[in-house]
Structure formats: C-alpha cells, structure tokens
Amino acid sequence: MAVFTQFSHGEIIALWTVMGTAVAGLLYAVMLMAQVLREDTGTAEMQKISGSIRLGANAYLYRQFKTILFLILLITAALYFTAGEKHIAIGRACAFLMGSVFSATVGFVGMNLAVRGNVRVAAAANRRSFGDALKIAYRTGTITGMLTDGLGLFGGTLIFMIYGEKAYEVLLGFGFGGTLLALFMRVGGGIYTKAADVGADLVGKIEKNIPEDDPRNAATIADNVGDNVGDCAGMAADIFESYEVTIVSAMILGWASFGHKGVIFPLLVRAIGVLSSIIGTYAVKAKEEVRDAMKAINIGFILSAIISIIGFTLVGLFYLKFEGKEQLPFWCGLGIAGLDMRPVWTTMVGILLAITVNRLTEYFTDPSKKPVQDIAESCQTGHATNIITGFAVGLESTVWAILVICISILISAFIYQGTNPTFVAYGVAMCGIGMLTLTGNNISMDVFGPVADNANGIGEMAHLNKDARQILADLDAVGNTTKAITKGIAIGSAVVAAISLFNAYITDISAITRQTFDQIASALSVSGPNVFIGLLIGGSIPFLFSSLSIKAVGRAAFLIVKEVREQLKDKLIWEGKKLPDYAKVVSICTAAAQKELIRPGLLAILSPLLVGFLLGKEALGGFLAGMILSGQLLAVFMANAGGAWDNAKKFIEDGNMGGKGSDAHKASVTGDTVGDPLKDTAGPALNPLIKVMNMVALLAIPLVIKYEHSRIVGLGSLAVTVFLIFLLLRDPKIEKEAVKT
C-alpha cells in the first residue's frame, strides 16, 4: 500500500486504528441486529401485518436497484475516461462502484431491520413497557447509523491507504457513487411514500372519517411500506453520501493546505465519532415513569458530542504539530511552539452547529413548541388559514437556519484569518466533518421515526389495547420530531459540504490551468455575464427539480385516491369482513416511483455538464453557487413547514382544538397532505441533488477546460439541452402500466 512508503510509523498505526474502529462500528451494528431480532414479535396478526410491509418494501427496493443498475454500470465505465493516469482511472471507476454498493447496502440492510423492528416495538408496547419499546425502536435505527459510520469510514480510509497523495482523485468516484445512489433512493422513495400517504389520508381521514391505519383502507400497507423506503432507506443513503462527500472535500483541501496531516486528522476525528456514537446510542434509555423519549435521545446525543470533543482535542494536542509555520496567535496553538489547533477548533464549530440545528429544527416542528401550536390553532378557522400559517412558519425557519450556517462558516473562516484561501476552505471542510461526527446518532434518530410510525400502524391495525396504543402514539409523535431534526442536519451538512466542494472546484481549476486560487476566484465575479447567467440557471434548478418531484407525487396520489375509493365501494371491505387488495396500491406506487425517477436524475447529472460545455468553467462556478444558495433555502423551508403541519395534526389528534373528527382536524389533515411531499420528497431530495451536481462538476472540470472552445462539443451540448428540455416538458404516463402491474 502507498501509505507504508509515505508516512511515519505512528501515522501508519493511526490509520490501521481508524480501520479497526470502522470494523468495530460494523460489529456493533451486528450485535444490535442480534439483540433486536431476539425480541418478541407479538401476535400472529401483528406478524402478518409486519410481513406484508416487509414484502412490499423489499419488492420496491429490488425493482429500484434493477431500474438503476444499468445506469450505475454505464457511469462506472464512463468514469474511467475522466482521469489521465490509468491506475487513477481504474481506481476512480472501482471507487464509484464501491460507493454505490455501500450506499445501497446501508439503505437495504437498514430498511430490512426497520421492517423487522416495527413489530417488535409494537409487541414491547403491548406486553412490556414504554422504556422497552423506546429502546428497541432506537436501537433498530442505530443499526443503520453504525452501518453508515462503519462503511463510510472504511471506504475512505482504504482508498487513502492504497493511493496516498493521489487518493483525492479516486475519492471523487467514491463520493459520487454514494451521492448518485442516494439521489435515486431519495427521489424514488419519497415519491412512493408520499403518494401512498396522501392517497390514504385524503380518502380515509377526510372523506370516510376513519383512522389513519384502518385496515379497510387499501393504501394502508403501501403507506407503511413508504415510511421505510423513503424515510429509512432514502435518508440512510442520503446521510451516507454526506458522510462520504465531507470526507472527500476535507481530504482534498487538507492535502492542499497541510499535507498528509491535513488528511489523517479528519479520519481520526471520524474514528472518534464512531466510538462516541457507540457509547451515546447505547445509553439511550427511558424510565417508565418519565415517558420522555425526546429527553432520553437528546441525552445520548449530548453524551456522544462531549466524548467526541474531548477525543479529537486530545488527538490535536498530540498530533497537530506542523513544521515551518509562521508564528501563530496564542489561542491557535495554546501557546505551545509548533502546535496548530485550528483544525480542532473548526471541527468543534461543526459539532456546535449540529447541536444548534437540532434545537432550532426541534423548536419549529415540536408539538409542544409555539410554531406548531400556532398552526394547530389556525386550523380552527379552516383549511386556508392552516396553509397560510404553515407557510409562514416554514419561511421563518429558513432564515434562522441559514443565519446559523453563516455564523458557523464565518467563525471557521475567522479561525484561519490571515492565511491563504485554501486554508480557510479546509477550515470550512473541517466544520462539515464536525457536523457529521455524530452520524451514528443522527441516523438512529431518523430511522427511529419510521419504525415508531410503523409500530403505531401495526398497533392500530391489530387492535392493541388502549395503553399500548398510547405508548405507540407517543413514540410516533417523537419520531416526527426526530425525522425533522435529522432532515435539518442533512440539509445543513449538504450546504457545508457543497461549499467545501466549491472550494475544491476552484483548487482543481487552479491545478489544471496553473493559475493561483485568487486568480480563479476573481474570475468568478458576478460582474461577468457568463458567471451571472450560470448563477441564475443554478438558482432555478432546485425549483424545477422540486416541481418534478411534487408533481410526481400528485400524479401517483391521484391514481391511489381513485383506487382506494373504488375498493371502499365494496360493502364487505367497508364492513371489515374482507381485506382490501393492498398489493394493487403497492404496485401503483412502485410503478409511479420508478417511472418518475428518470427526469430528476437526468436533470441532476446533465445540467452542470451542459452549463460547463456551453458557457465555460466560470459559468459552471456561478451555477454551483446559485444552486447551493437556493437549494438550501428551499430545502429548509419545505422540510420544516411539512414537519410543522404534520405535528400540528398530531397535536389536534391528541385531543386539542376539538380532537379527531372535528373541523379543525380536517383542516390539519389538509395541511399535512400539502406538507407531506414537501418534507418527505422534494425537500430531502435537494440534499443529494446539491452534492451530485457539485461532484459532477468536479469530475467533469478537466474535460470542460479541455473542450470549452470546441464548436463540435458546443453543438452537441446544445442538442442534448434541447432534448432535456423536451423530456422535462413531457409528463410520464403511469396509469396504464400501474394497472397492468
């Protein structure tokens, strides 16, 4: 391995320790897997419902992987031609395939454990206690979290150990593989889950006034399946690619600024994060008399954060000694000669950013907080006032979220004041590393949501006792908040990672053209018409992408509403004497999601290429800047507005403002159905979109520079642009295929 000839004996030991830590994270996931699977699976009826959900979820993922397999293989082959040196080209293609497989593994295995854990949570609530139900639900989520930690750290470290100083060129493939697969899983899973959810709610809750998971509703199983393929598999792949991309950007910029120490330090931070997540997640427990699941989860998160901060601070004290540096202010190296603790401070900023985003998102989406209660109160005057108030809450939350990110970036830049821009960019990248240090905890919180939601649905369909139903309803409400919080983390990390990748983009252009960083950066001024045009186009792409996703949900939900209405006309189904045809609704959702994947995927991959080849590298830089800004704002708005609408409905269903069946409740259901595709389809899908387009730009920039004055390439790009516009203007027809399926 290249590492043995380039680094000191201590650094080699450190890298092998990082590898060992990654394996330890995976073994911890296996241990939790065995613990969860040993739990009681409840009654035969509960097992039957859970089995139906599991079959539907697996069928969907198998079909999705089959749909995108050819594209993954095609891009693997294409990546071979994006690098000059043969061994780098082979490594990049293989790394892309590895990133794709790892991302798929995290999503698939995590989802399979979630659909096995749901019935065990319901059984614990029915026969045991609140504390046991919480523990099982959270540990089921932790399995996915530790798979993400372990595989992400293992892949990044392995590539670095093989390729050494050339690793960043190969890591681009690794990051792109995880990012692209996450985009497809996010979009496809989001369309599936929200089409089923909206269809089930509109007919069941509003038209027929029956409970959310009433077994007479033909969309009930599809709704529960959707929770897993969207919130579980989709979010796991999403956070995994953020984990990869922040490592890629930190390693690229770390090598350019500090050399090998700038690369090894973020790997050590990530290893400490794995260990702290193991301790923090295992500590999540709640006593029966407390019944405060959110408090227990927050304690575990804070514990992991404290352990991480202590750990990487100690590593910095012993490792971050750089030779030949200028005299640093006292606070940079604590007054110790040759010690530079600035990477430690910027990493700490990232952890504080994660904690702040958690609290901020919780404030805007928690049923016990004022914003959600304001929305619930507005439901008393009708559907329109509910929508208006929810929009206002989402818009306000966007402002505070971006201010928090701005302050974090400003502090990270201030820590490196007086140095060259590459060092500043590395500081921002380390902020991203810090933000995702507690990935294990974040994904545990996220997957906890669909597991609790499914358990609640199983409890309702299996007619469990009142106490068990209350436990499951409480866990479900907490799950809504934890899902919203992790969406906030995912969005924030996407922005920080994208900013780091943007700086890596400038660094790459500098290396290819042999111009300085400052020269390239000055060429990206918005006073240049091409840059400004690129900025405008980039700013518009997240809106077009969101439109495609939301319209897809609307089309699929239309079919599901018709199908559920038709089945409820059967008197035997309505009287509960005959089960509806759940499989037919599952097939409609599956067919719709797969059909609708194509256009958003092509938009994400082709738009940065077309801007680069038609308008040049400067316009592509403007494109990336516009896309990052509008994407972040739009994603936070949609995620928080949707989460607030959802929990306002839950708040009313708990007996407030008239309770279930009241006019206020019907208005809240409308708000929830409007917010569903925002918070679970379009909003979360913007995270991988932002990073996919950044990764495509980084991979394509050598070709963009090489052919930016080629008329043949320009004409070809123009023809592809016309084709893409034509494709985007045509809505796919899914009804006929869905019925056949």
Side-chain angles (χ1 to χ4, degrees):
M1 291 186 180
V3 69
F4 293 118
T5 62
Q6 294 182 13
F7 304 114
S8 69
H9 179 68
E11 288 171 337
I12 293 170
I13 293 174
L15 285 169
W16 280 113
T17 302
V18 172
M19 289 288 282
T21 305
V23 173
L26 296 174
L27 291 176
Y28 176 56
V30 173
M31 183 194 81
L32 292 179
M33 198 180 302
Q35 286 184 2
V36 169
L37 293 179
R38 281 199 301 266
E39 297 289 345
D40 177 27
T41 55
T43 65
E45 186 178 5
M46 293 164 66
Q47 293 170 23
K48 183 179 179 182
I49 297 166
S50 177
S52 298
I53 296 169
R54 184 167 67 251
L55 286 172
N58 285 335
Y60 169 77
L61 277 192
Y62 280 128
R63 180 162 176 178
Q64 176 158 289
F65 290 148
K66 185 178 177 181
T67 301
I68 63 178
L69 179 62
F70 176 73
L71 178 62
I72 295 295
L73 295 176
L74 182 67
I75 294 176
T76 301
L79 283 176
Y80 178 81
F81 300 100
T82 62
E85 300 175 52
K86 186 174 181 179
H87 73 290
I88 297 296
I90 294 172
R92 183 177 287 179
C94 292
F96 171 80
L97 195 58
M98 181 170 70
S100 301
V101 170
F102 280 7
S103 187
T105 300
V106 167
F108 186 76
V109 175
M111 186 209 71
N112 267 275
L113 264 297
V115 296
R116 284 172 166 82
N118 54 19
V119 70
R120 289 163 169 83
V121 173
N126 189 42
R127 296 176 178 175
R128 288 154 68 184
S129 68
F130 173 84
D132 286 333
L134 168 65
K135 184 176 70 174
I136 296 168
Y138 192 78
R139 289 187 178 176
T140 301
T142 304
I143 295 166
T144 310
M146 297 316 299
L147 282 174
T148 303
D149 262 347
L151 290 176
L153 187 60
F154 181 86
T157 308
L158 179 65
I159 291 170
F160 180 64
M161 292 177 74
I162 294 173
Y163 286 92
E165 65 180 32
K166 295 285 188 179
Y168 81 90
E169 297 186 56
V170 177
L171 280 164
L172 287 175
F174 184 61
F176 185 44
T179 301
L180 188 63
L181 203 79
L183 178 71
F184 286 122
M185 292 181 76
R186 254 308 186 194
V187 174
I191 292 169
Y192 185 112
T193 181
K194 290 305 107 179
D197 196 1
V198 170
D201 282 356
L202 287 177
V203 180
K205 288 185 177 181
I206 293 181
E207 294 183 7
K208 298 297 183 180
N209 197 26
I210 58 178
E212 181 170 358
D213 292 295
D214 193 297
R216 293 172 292 177
N217 192 326
T220 297
I221 293 296
D223 185 10
N224 284 284
V225 169
D227 290 333
N228 293 287
V229 300
D231 282 324
C232 182
M235 175 59 100
D238 184 4
I239 295 283
F240 177 77
E241 52 92 13
S242 288
Y243 193 88
E244 289 180 358
V245 167
T246 50
I247 275 283
V248 170
S249 57
M251 293 175 85
I252 292 173
L253 296 165
W255 189 272
S257 52
F258 289 117
H260 56 89
K261 286 183 185 261
V263 176
I264 293 176
F265 180 69
L267 291 175
L268 290 170
V269 171
R270 281 283 161 84
I272 291 166
V274 171
L275 295 175
S276 66
S277 287
I278 290 174
I279 297 169
T281 54
Y282 206 75
V284 173
K285 296 171 184 175
K287 295 180 180 179
E288 181 62 21
E289 62 270 17
V290 176
R291 283 207 166 197
D292 193 342
M294 200 68 234
K295 181 179 178 182
I297 291 169
N298 284 334
I299 288 172
F301 189 89
I302 297 298
L303 177 62
S304 293
I306 292 170
I307 294 170
S308 291
I309 290 172
I310 293 171
F312 64 68
T313 301
L314 291 174
V315 169
L317 287 170
F318 287 100
Y319 183 59
L320 294 177
K321 294 181 179 179
F322 298 96
E323 298 176 1
K325 297 293 181 185
E326 71 280 3
Q327 185 65 36
L328 297 173
F330 175 87
W331 60 269
C332 291
L334 301 176
I336 302 172
L339 182 66
D340 188 351
M341 292 287 283
R342 289 177 295 180
V344 171
W345 309 144
T346 49
T347 305
M348 202 176 296
V349 170
I351 287 188
L352 294 175
L353 172 60
I355 293 172
T356 306
V357 168
N358 273 2
R359 300 286 73 75
L360 189 64
T361 308
E362 183 181 344
Y363 172 74
F364 281 104
T365 58
D366 193 307
S368 65
K369 301 295 190 295
K370 188 176 184 297
V372 170
Q373 293 183 6
D374 284 346
I375 295 173
E377 187 176 347
S378 72
C379 292
Q380 295 177 105
T381 52
H383 303 255
T385 47
N386 174 32
I387 300 299
I388 291 168
T389 308
F391 260 89
V393 167
L395 292 169
E396 182 187 352
S397 71
T398 300
V399 177
W400 298 114
I402 204 162
L403 283 177
V404 168
I405 293 173
C406 288
I407 291 169
S408 301
I409 294 170
L410 186 63
I411 294 172
S412 300
F414 174 78
I415 289 170
Y416 281 94
Q417 64 174 329
T419 58
N420 69 56
T422 307
F423 283 78
V424 176
Y426 179 63
V428 175
M430 288 308 300
C431 178
I433 290 288
M435 191 174 189
L436 287 177
T437 295
L438 306 179
T439 292
N441 300 69
N442 287 325
I443 294 187
S444 300
M445 291 165 66
D446 180 72
V447 178
F448 171 85
V451 171
D453 193 347
N454 271 202
N456 193 25
I458 291 171
E460 187 169 300
M461 295 178 74
H463 308 291
L464 298 187
N465 63 69
K466 183 179 178 182
D467 289 342
R469 292 284 295 111
Q470 187 58 52
I471 288 173
L472 294 172
D474 290 344
L475 289 176
D476 189 11
V478 173
N480 278 334
T481 301
T482 59
K483 285 190 294 183
I485 288 171
T486 50
K487 286 183 178 74
I489 291 288
I491 294 165
S493 67
V495 175
V496 175
I499 293 167
S500 302
L501 289 172
F502 184 73
N503 283 289
Y505 173 80
I506 298 174
T507 302
D508 273 12
I509 295 177
S510 176
I512 295 168
T513 62
R514 301 189 183 281
Q515 294 177 282
T516 66
F517 188 101
D518 288 340
Q519 287 175 318
I520 302 299
S522 63
L524 295 177
S525 167
V526 292
S527 61
N530 276 18
V531 177
F532 193 69
I533 291 170
L535 185 77
L536 295 176
I537 295 173
S540 70
I541 293 297
F543 288 88
L544 177 57
F545 182 86
S546 299
S547 170
L548 294 174
S549 304
I550 294 170
K551 285 169 70 177
V553 171
R555 281 191 290 270
F558 175 81
L559 298 177
I560 291 163
V561 167
K562 287 175 64 179
E563 180 62 32
V564 174
R565 282 174 177 167
E566 191 63 31
Q567 292 200 37
L568 283 175
K569 291 178 182 177
D570 187 325
K571 187 178 179 181
L572 293 176
I573 292 177
W574 179 247
E575 292 176 352
K577 298 176 182 178
K578 171 185 171 184
L579 285 177
D581 187 353
Y582 298 125
K584 193 167 186 181
V585 179
V586 169
S587 73
I588 293 172
C589 288
T590 303
Q594 299 311 310
K595 274 278 190 182
E596 301 282 5
L597 272 178
I598 299 169
R599 299 188 304 160
L602 287 177
L603 179 66
I605 296 169
L606 293 180
S607 55
L609 293 175
L610 296 173
V611 169
F613 286 126
L614 284 171
L615 299 173
K617 59 184 181 296
E618 292 82 11
L620 182 53
F623 173 91
L624 295 177
M627 175 268 301
I628 293 169
L629 176 60
S630 71
Q632 193 275 341
L633 293 169
L634 193 57
V636 173
F637 161 70
M638 291 194 287
N640 286 350
W645 270 316
D646 193 346
N647 272 344
K649 178 197 69 177
K650 289 281 193 300
F651 183 74
I652 292 174
E653 288 177 346
D654 284 340
N656 301 292
M657 313 299 172
K660 289 185 178 180
S662 65
D663 288 341
H665 180 237
K666 291 179 180 179
S668 74
V669 173
T670 300
D672 182 34
T673 53
V674 170
D676 272 341
L678 302 186
K679 72 179 174 67
D680 290 324
T681 306
L686 288 174
N687 307 331
L689 173 76
I690 290 170
K691 286 167 284 189
V692 162
M693 293 201 283
N694 271 281
M695 296 300 293
V696 168
L698 275 173
L699 289 164
I701 193 58
L703 297 175
V704 169
I705 292 172
K706 184 177 180 180
Y707 295 111
E708 66 180 335
H709 299 299
S710 169
R711 289 185 178 179
I712 295 175
V713 172
L715 289 172
S717 300
L718 187 61
V720 174
T721 302
V722 172
F723 167 75
L724 181 61
I725 292 172
F726 173 75
L727 186 67
L728 294 175
L729 291 174
R730 293 189 64 186
D731 291 334
K733 297 185 182 300
I734 58 174
E735 185 167 7
K736 193 173 291 185
E737 182 179 343
V739 172
K740 286 181 180 178
T741 306

